[in-house]
């Protein structure tokens, strides 16, 4: 019987990711979509430790470890090095976390996308520096408690809205930009396939819920990923060569359902949840405008 | 019999370096512009644009990215090259360790330039001396010809199976980089015989998936990997000698290996210098010899691996020595001085003095070196800043 | 030769069963073989195998079915949480 996603597994079991890790699912799905002719570059991030210590590897494709800010440049060099040898049929993939993408790696990302290399940049977004112990990143959403925005006697949490790198990539007119999340692997894989058809840089931001850093039980990863989309906290969209398509096919749920499922938001009072609700609504309306601005939906 | 050189012409150090990279058949170049490196990469870009060089040139958005891109392309198995200077090199610092740690035999040109603040674009070796512990071999050239030839020898040495460490090749800003000198263009066929194509054993091979540079634990092989790099630096000494001799034979050149000596055989006093200061020192040696002072010169070519044994052997027969550093090491004497003195300690006991000069491109005049020689002759152990103005 | 930091041994040789506190068990007689548990397993610890007679009916018995690899399952519980038939039980491991 055919499965809804490819059967081929290029991410082996036996890795050392936390229980219920969303980032691991993101890698598993991305490799299912791309197949074995793929080379992956990973900066400092959860994924730099998930394969385990030397001599272990967990991917059945080559994986290059690089310093934190080096993802964009390393995929540029990998692509060109392979092309020089005529290995143009290999997919070159940068697989970086949100800290490595929204913060320290942003310059390298922007440079690589601008230069037009035929590469994939996958940002697995777990909304914080989870590998180093849950610190705030530019991609952490408003309201979240992290270890550097702790809630103490004087209540504190991240007061700024999430920096959305995919939106920035649209502003830069990257040929293919999309958002996806692990609850919808069929959608995620379809997007990678669409991206593959584009000869040039592609950027995909995958929301990867993190039980360790979002403070929820590990079995809830898919549920929370789903709620992120339904509550419009993390809208799914696709931007293909200038055309923008917003996925509106979900039955919306209130932001509070998403917020209340995670202890990182536990401290928020009703007014603060209302702030988030307002932000989510404004952003959704903005994305609807983009859809008009950037023409019609793409054909599947 | 092929001519060892295709032609002889006048060119700047930066052009010579660019031709060195071309002769070494680099396939991938990535760089970010910084004065006074720019004319190297401009020249290479123009060679590619004019179909004189079959390589891919990628101008990235930072030096960190330049070396990250070169790291990655080299890892796929293609010979890769970059060039930088000063702050650009400092910005690469993290990637310098990464390239060496992954055992990639990349050659990089560095035009030695001062570190700010205040901004200063002139000759000063503080930038590369800062990087001495990154696992790269370091060569300091004295002429444009040497700068060209060092790129070619550099790849040969770096790619040796017992070495597999990257190499940075230095020229002093403007004194070499932008000054024209006669240079012989090496015969490409002979270079091809001397330097075969890169055959990187652990290159990325999708048929044989591996992790490149995963993390390691205290009980893993981390410590052994680092020691192996040190061991390879040691083995590089012999390889440097062999490959330099081989190059000398083919191209009728006369390069020393780790060091070059001038009138050291009967010297009572030794000046030790690196880069273009050595050219002035050579002139001063002749002048002082004329006045009856038995002085000689040791020019350090390789700062890494450091030529302890060579210098020790040379200093066994002198009464005193002095080391000129064109770099600043805050909190102690000159960096080359520290290296030399630690090599001598417990083996020979002569006065050795440290001279800091030429910082920020200040001219190193022959009278400065004469003063240095005079201080050496007196047998001092001090640290001296030469040609420093009184700032009020 | 030099030492190069490359990793060559697949984590298929690195069991993670000791991480497990709760053990999922599939009730095959209720399982409809939808493979949602397989799809969402972050540890890639559910394999697809050919047909098993413990099934709700003969048609399902002929279908491919999910088999948990207890060498690698860390017991996160996503499979049980997502199972539409609620036929995966999570029970605490008994340490003998």
């Amino acid at each position: 019987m055919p499965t809804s996603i490819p059967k081929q597994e290029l991410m082996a079991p036996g890795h050392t990711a936390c229980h219920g890790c969303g980032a691991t699912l993101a890698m598993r799905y991305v490799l299912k979509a791309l197949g074995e002719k793929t080379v992956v570059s990973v900066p400092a991030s959860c994924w730099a430790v998930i394969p385990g210590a030397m001599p272990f590897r967990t991917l059945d494709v080559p994986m290059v470890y690089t310093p934190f800010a080096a993802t964009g440049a390393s995929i540029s060099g990998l692509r060109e090095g392979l092309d020089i040898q005529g290995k143009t049929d290999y997919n070159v993939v940068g697989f970086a976390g949100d800290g490595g993408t929204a913060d320290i790696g942003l310059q390298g990302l922007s440079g690589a996308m601008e230069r037009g290399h035929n590469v994939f940049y996958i940002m697995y977004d777990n909304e914080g520096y989870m590998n180093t112990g849950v610190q705030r990143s530019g991609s952490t959403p408003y309201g979240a408690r992290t270890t550097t925005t702790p809630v103490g006697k004087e209540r504190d949490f991240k007061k700024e809205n999430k920096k959305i790198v995919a939106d920035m990539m649209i502003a830069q007119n990257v040929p293919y930009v999309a958002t996806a999340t692990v609850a919808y692997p069929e959608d995620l894989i379809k997007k990678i396939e669409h991206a593959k058809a584009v000869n040039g840089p592609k950027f995909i931001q995958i929301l990867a819920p993190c039980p360790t850093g979002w403070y929820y039980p590990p079995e809830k990863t898919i549920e929370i990923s789903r709620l992120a989309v339904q509550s419009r906290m993390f809208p799914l969209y696709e931007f293909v060569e200038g055309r923008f398509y917003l996925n509106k096919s979900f039955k919306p749920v209130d932001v509070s359902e998403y917020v209340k499922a995670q202890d990182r938001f536990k401290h928020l009072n009703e007014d603060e949840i209302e702030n988030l609700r307002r932000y989510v609504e404004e952003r959704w309306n903005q994305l609807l405008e983009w859809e008009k601005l950037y023409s019609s939906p793409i054909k599947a | 019999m092929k001519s060892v050189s295709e032609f002889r012409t006048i060119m700047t150090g930066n052009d010579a370096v660019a031709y060195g990279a071309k002769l070494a058949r680099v396939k991938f170049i990535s760089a970010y512009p910084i004065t006074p490196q720019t004319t190297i990469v401009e020249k290479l870009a123009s060679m590619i644009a004019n179909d004189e060089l079959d390589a891919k040139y990628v101008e990235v958005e930072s030096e960190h990215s330049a070396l990250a891109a070169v790291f990655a392309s080299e890892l796929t198995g293609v010979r890769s090259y970059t060039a930088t200077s000063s702050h650009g090199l400092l910005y690469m610092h993290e990637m310098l360790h990464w390239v060496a740690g992954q055992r990639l035999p990349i050659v990089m040109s560095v035009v030695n330039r001062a570190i700010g603040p205040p901004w200063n674009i002139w000759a000063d070796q503080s930038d590369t001396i800062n990087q001495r512990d990154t696992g790269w071999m370091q060569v300091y050239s004295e002429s444009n010809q040497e700068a060209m030839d060092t790129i070619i020898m550099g790849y040969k040495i770096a790619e040796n199976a017992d070495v597999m460490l990257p190499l940075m090749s230095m020229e002093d800003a403007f004194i070499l980089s932008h000054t024209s000198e006669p240079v012989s263009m090496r015969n490409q066929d002979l270079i091809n015989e001397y330097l075969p194509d890169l055959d990187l054993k652990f290159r990325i091979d999708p048929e044989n998936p591996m992790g490149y540079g995963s993390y390691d634990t205290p009980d893993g092989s981390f410590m052994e990997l680092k020691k192996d790099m040190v061991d390879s630096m040691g083995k590089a000494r012999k390889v440097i000698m062999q490959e330099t001799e081989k190059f000398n034979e083919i191209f009728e050149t006369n390069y020393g290996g780790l060091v070059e000596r001038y009138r050291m055989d009967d010297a009572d006093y030794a000046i030790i210098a690196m880069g273009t200061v050595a050219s002035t020192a050579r002139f001063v040696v002749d002048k002082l010899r004329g006045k009856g002072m038995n002085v000689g010169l040791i020019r350090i070519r390789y700062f890494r691996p450091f030529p302890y044994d060579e210098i020790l052997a040379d200093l066994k027969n002198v009464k005193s020595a002095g080391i000129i550093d064109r770099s600043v090491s805050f909190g102690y004497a000159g960096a080359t001085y520290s290296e030399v003195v630690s090599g001598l300690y417990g083996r020979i006991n002569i006065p050795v003095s440290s001279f800091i000069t030429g910082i920020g491109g200040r001219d190193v005049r022959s009278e400065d070196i004469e003063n240095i020689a005079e201080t050496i002759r007196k047998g001092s152990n001090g640290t001296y800043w030469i040609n420093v103005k009184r700032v009020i | 030769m030099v030492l190069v930091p490359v990793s060559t041994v697949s984590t298929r040789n690195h069991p993670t069963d000791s991480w497990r506190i709760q053990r999922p068990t599939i009730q095959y007689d209720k399982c409809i073989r939808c493979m949602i548990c397989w799809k969402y397993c972050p540890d890639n610890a559910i394999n697809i195998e050919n047909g098993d007679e413990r099934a709700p009916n003969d048609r399902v018995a002929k279908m491919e079915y999910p088999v948990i690899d207890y060498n690698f399952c860390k017991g996160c519980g996503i499979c049980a949480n997502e199972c539409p038939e609620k036929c995966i039980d999570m029970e605490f491991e008994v340490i003998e």
Side-chain angles (χ1 to χ4, degrees), chain B residues 132-144:
Chain B
R132 65 188 151 174
D133 294 335
T134 54
W136 286 59
M137 292 180 279
Q138 291 199 339
V139 197
Y140 293 79
S141 288
E142 190 195 353
S143 70
N144 294 354

Side-chain angles (χ1 to χ4, degrees), chain A residues 51-166:
Chain A
M54 284 178 68
F56 286 109
R57 64 170 173 90
T58 203
L59 301 189
D60 290 337
V61 299
M63 173 169 157
V64 182
Y65 296 72
T66 68
F68 221 156
T71 313
S74 67
I75 55 178
S76 309
L78 287 171
R79 174 79 278 159
E80 299 307 327
L82 291 169
D83 283 0
I84 287 165
Q85 299 169 81
K87 297 173 182 171
T88 51
D89 52 338
Y90 286 99
N91 303 301
V92 173
V93 183
F95 200 89
D98 52 291
T101 306
D103 297 343
I104 195 169
L106 189 61
Q107 172 180 311
L109 162 67
S110 177
M113 297 292 109
E114 180 268 331
R115 290 189 298 271
H117 307 282
N118 187 25
V119 293
F120 295 82
Y121 191 115
I122 309 288
M123 168 189 183
Y124 70 94
D125 184 5
N126 51 25
E127 302 192 321
Y129 291 86
M130 299 328 194
N131 187 45
T132 45
V134 196
Q135 293 84 21
R136 160 208 204 278
S137 84
S139 194
T140 303
Y142 168 90
R145 159 174 68 105
T146 70
T147 54
T148 50
T149 52
V151 176
K153 247 190 235 164
E154 296 292 319
R155 289 174 65 256
D156 197 8
F157 49 81
K158 189 182 173 192
K159 297 287 168 39
E160 302 77 26
N161 283 321
K162 181 181 176 76
K163 179 203 283 191
I164 301 157
V165 183

